[in-house]
């Protein structure tokens, strides 16, 4: 019996196909995530939304940042960090909004 071959998954593909976040039910999804397609590239979103967008945990996001495999957050104060939507679209392989 052969060992199963495992291929490395593409790092930044979300677990849900990004056909259109507008089709998601806003009552079950973070409102920012439901409107992600409409946000300008200059907008910023918080960690909770980033984890939902990429389907990974908070430690995974910070590990990717540390390993320079993911855009770093912008720090607006000691306790407030957020990610640029345009940089996240590049990581997702999505076209720019403008």
């Amino acid at each position: 019996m052969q060992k199963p071959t495992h291929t490395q998954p593409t790092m930044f593909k979300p677990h849900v196909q990004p056909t259109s976040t507008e089709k998601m039910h806003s009552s079950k999804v973070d409102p920012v995530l439901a409107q992600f397609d409409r946000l300008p590239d200059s907008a910023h979103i918080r960690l909770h939304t980033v984890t939902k967008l990429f389907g990974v945990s908070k430690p995974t996001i910070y590990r990717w940042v540390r390993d320079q495999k993911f855009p770093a957050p912008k720090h607006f104060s000691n306790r407030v960090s957020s990610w640029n939507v345009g940089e996240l679209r590049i990581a997702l392989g999505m076209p720019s909004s403008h």
Side-chain angles (χ1 to χ4, degrees):
M1 186 169 155
Q2 287 185 333
K3 287 185 178 181
T5 57
H6 296 289
T7 59
Q8 191 68 291
T10 303
M11 180 62 74
F12 303 119
K13 293 293 181 184
H15 291 261
V16 178
Q17 289 296 329
T19 54
S20 174
T21 54
E22 293 175 17
K23 293 180 182 177
M24 294 180 186
H25 300 286
S26 60
S27 62
K28 296 180 183 179
V29 176
D30 182 315
V32 176
L33 184 58
Q35 299 296 320
F36 186 77
D37 290 344
R38 295 183 181 179
L39 293 173
D41 285 344
S42 61
H44 287 80
I45 59 174
R46 301 292 301 273
L47 179 59
H48 173 75
T49 306
V50 175
T51 60
K52 299 297 181 194
L53 182 64
F54 285 85
V56 297
S57 67
K58 293 176 185 180
T60 297
I61 294 291
Y62 283 114
R63 188 177 324 106
W64 289 350
V65 169
R66 181 195 67 212
D67 295 342
Q68 297 179 345
K69 297 178 180 180
F70 196 76
K74 307 298 183 241
H75 300 283
F76 292 100
S77 72
N78 289 340
R79 298 180 54 93
V80 177
S81 297
S82 63
W83 277 259
N84 177 270
V85 170
E87 292 176 5
L88 294 176
R89 284 190 176 120
I90 292 169
L92 283 167
M94 294 177 68
S96 177
S97 68
H98 297 294

